[in-house]
Amino acid sequence: SARDPPCRRFSASVCSMASARRAVVVAVAGGLARGVEAQIVVGTSVPQCPGQGSINGSTDYPNVSYVVAQWNMPDFPAGPVQVLGGTVRTEMWGRAYFADRCTEGAYNNTDYLAMKLLGKRLTYTTDVSHAGCGCNAAMYLVSMKQSADKSQCDDHYCDANNVCGVRCAEIDVQEANKYAFHSALHTSWDGNGEAAGLGGWVRNN
């Protein structure tokens, strides 16, 4: 549309992720949008347990641990995630999960947080001002606590697009950058889902 930014959707080669303060989240991630080409650089492992936080206004979840993924996809290393005060910062390719506890060197699906959100309000503040064209700063809900399969990423990760070899339903609360913001609903076998938002491209989400 006329309001879209002057950039090509599939031409991004560099993408810096923004800081993000999130009050309620199961998974946060930073990466390139589908269709964007990027070089894979194999590096060392990233810290798995960067810290703890709390969910403001909640007595049910006073202490939340953050668990960082080692693999963004099978054979594709994940980027680092930092916890600074109440802020979660995901770097390029980084992904983190909310959990009851974090144990360095071990991933257990029973450790992940399963929030009871029915009848409640989910609010958070995010800063995507450094996420440019082709970037996807995401915040989404998936059923990892119920995912007994360790997955090809070795951390029980699941989503509707079978990224790590395990499918589950997915609610994309945020798929965004500084030019666009989309939300989507997916059943476990519906990778495209039903999506809506502003800016960018939403078909075949």
Side-chain angles (χ1 to χ4, degrees):
S1 70
R3 289 191 286 180
D4 283 345
C7 62
R8 296 174 56 198
R9 180 166 50 86
F10 293 151
S11 64
S13 59
V14 178
C15 176
S16 61
M17 300 311 303
S19 298
R21 179 183 174 88
R22 295 175 170 88
V24 182
V25 65
V26 170
V28 295
L32 292 180
R34 294 183 185 92
V36 177
E37 296 181 358
Q39 292 183 337
I40 300 174
V41 179
V42 178
T44 58
S45 62
V46 297
Q48 182 181 335
C49 303
Q52 292 182 316
S54 61
I55 299 175
N56 294 335
S58 172
T59 57
D60 296 327
Y61 313 106
N63 297 300
V64 175
S65 292
Y66 303 102
V67 179
V68 176
Q70 296 298 313
W71 299 99
N72 184 276
M73 295 182 289
D75 301 319
F76 191 132
V81 176
Q82 300 178 43
V83 176
L84 305 171
T87 298
V88 179
R89 179 184 175 92
T90 57
E91 300 296 337
M92 189 62 176
W93 311 118
R95 185 168 66 231
Y97 319 120
F98 270 27
D100 292 315
R101 65 193 63 84
C102 182
T103 303
E104 198 76 42
Y107 290 92
N108 191 320
N109 65 301
T110 60
D111 290 343
Y112 294 129
L113 197 61
M115 296 182 179
K116 298 178 180 179
L117 298 175
L118 184 63
K120 297 181 181 180
R121 179 186 300 174
L122 183 152
T123 62
Y124 65 100
T125 300
T126 185
D127 176 2
V128 294
S129 61
H130 297 289
C133 288
C135 294
N136 178 16
M139 193 278 278
Y140 50 104
L141 308 175
V142 288
S143 53
M144 289 178 60
K145 191 176 185 74
Q146 294 78 25
S147 182
D149 191 324
K150 198 171 184 180
S151 84
Q152 296 174 28
C153 294
D154 295 324
D155 60 4
H156 301 274
Y157 180 75
C158 66
D159 63 16
N161 280 286
N162 203 33
V163 168
C164 293
V166 179
R167 291 184 179 274
C168 63
E170 176 182 343
I171 301 175
D172 295 316
V173 179
Q174 169 188 313
E175 292 184 310
N177 58 37
K178 63 181 178 180
Y179 300 114
F181 192 109
H182 294 161
S183 297
L185 300 174
H186 303 263
T187 64
S188 58
W189 291 93
D190 180 11
N192 289 338
E194 291 292 329
L198 298 173
W201 189 62
V202 72
R203 189 184 65 176
N204 295 331
N205 182 53

